[in-house]
Amino acid sequence: MTWSPARYLTFEAERTRPVVDLLAHVPTDPVRSAVDLGCGPGNSTEVLIRRFPGARVTALDSSPEMVAAARARLPDIDVAQDDVSRWQAAGPFDVILSNAVLQWVPGHDVLLPALVERLAPGGSLAVQMPDNMAEPSHVLMRETAAQGPWAERLAGAARAPLPPAAWYYQLLRNLAGRVDIWRTTYIHVLPGGPDAVVDWVKATGLRPFLDPLSPAERDDFLNRYRTKIAAAYPPLADGTVLLPFPRLFMIATR
């Protein structure tokens, strides 16, 4: 998939708040080394640096566009282009952060234990993932994909829903001395009405649906999707729209 740092950061405050909330609950102290897996344009890495100002912080992302944006934002930080699933650094790390990334990476039953193994004693793996596949924003993109002339090409575009929280707890409880897991639904107040919802997901969830299409097909897809979104997210009297956004958080501490 292609990623646009500028489009992603259109809602920077809303996208950054969950990583602030996540890192606030990390119990590890002191933190000497920390890494941000899937750093995007660097907003999450910036929070990591503020949270642990004495740590040596590194970061990586698979998108060259995101890596370039993160390097420009944080010129003193080592930002590598790499894929989380193929990341080879042995560590140990005091904190491994992954914010809104692992929902794109399959095989959590193998990946999460491998990440915990790279923690120093007392170190923490801190993960946040959108858990919104049952929300209208994502139900309607799958519906639009299935109803158009592109249905066959987009049959596998949707990512799988996350396993339940209990599954993650049981997996991590066997690996770590302490596991903190919770789910929060943020209610984002977006100016611009339903079009703001479309703009939000164009930077993330819609990418697998739009990337395989021609420009004309993308316009057609977005027009159909926008009509559905307008019905599902009616604007309030002041023109804003409320976007409920569930997210799953977990911290595993060795």
Side-chain angles (χ1 to χ4, degrees), residues 80-101:
Q81 185 179 340
D82 201 355
D83 190 289
V84 172
S85 62
R86 296 191 295 270
W87 181 56
Q88 295 297 317
F93 297 91
D94 295 307
V95 172
I96 297 176
L97 167 67
S98 184
N99 179 63
V101 173

Side-chain angles (χ1 to χ4, degrees), residues 125-203:
L125 170 66
V127 175
Q128 181 273 126
M129 295 179 288
D131 194 13
N132 54 359
M133 294 301 287
E135 292 297 306
S137 57
H138 285 64
V139 171
L140 294 176
M141 64 178 71
R142 298 194 297 271
E143 182 180 293
T144 304
Q147 293 176 347
W150 41 67
E152 185 174 346
R153 274 178 290 156
L154 300 184
R159 63 177 175 85
L162 297 180
W167 183 90
Y168 285 105
Y169 179 82
Q170 292 174 13
L171 174 68
L172 293 170
R173 190 65 186 86
N174 293 328
L175 305 167
R178 171 179 173 177
V179 177
D180 188 8
I181 187 165
W182 70 97
R183 191 175 190 266
T184 296
T185 298
Y186 293 86
I187 308 296
H188 296 303
V189 181
L190 305 181
D195 281 347
V197 177
V198 178
D199 288 341
W200 179 294
V201 295
K202 279 171 70 175

Side-chain angles (χ1 to χ4, degrees), residues 12-156:
E12 179 172 358
E14 292 85 355
R15 295 191 193 279
T16 304
R17 180 178 171 186
V19 70
V20 174
D21 295 344
L22 173 65
L23 289 176
H25 293 278
V26 171
T28 302
D29 183 49
V31 174
R32 295 166 293 270
S33 63
V35 60
D36 186 359
L37 304 182
C39 64
N43 57 311
S44 58
T45 313
E46 201 168 62
V47 176
L48 185 61
I49 294 167
R50 289 200 305 265
R51 176 68 174 86
F52 303 110
R56 179 181 180 270
V57 174
T58 57
L60 63 93
D61 200 279
S62 62
S63 163
E65 295 84 4
M66 290 296 198
V67 168
R71 287 172 176 168
R73 181 172 185 150
L74 301 167
D76 296 329
I77 299 300
D78 180 13
V79 182
Q81 185 179 340
D82 201 355
D83 190 289
V84 172
S85 62
R86 296 191 295 270
W87 181 56
Q88 295 297 317
F93 297 91
D94 295 307
V95 172
I96 297 176
L97 167 67
S98 184
N99 179 63
V101 173
L102 295 189
Q103 72 276 10
W104 299 108
V105 184
H108 290 185
D109 57 331
V110 175
L111 177 62
L112 292 182
L115 295 178
V116 171
E117 286 179 1
R118 301 182 206 188
L119 293 172
S124 294
L125 170 66
V127 175
Q128 181 273 126
M129 295 179 288
D131 194 13
N132 54 359
M133 294 301 287
E135 292 297 306
S137 57
H138 285 64
V139 171
L140 294 176
M141 64 178 71
R142 298 194 297 271
E143 182 180 293
T144 304
Q147 293 176 347
W150 41 67
E152 185 174 346
R153 274 178 290 156
L154 300 184

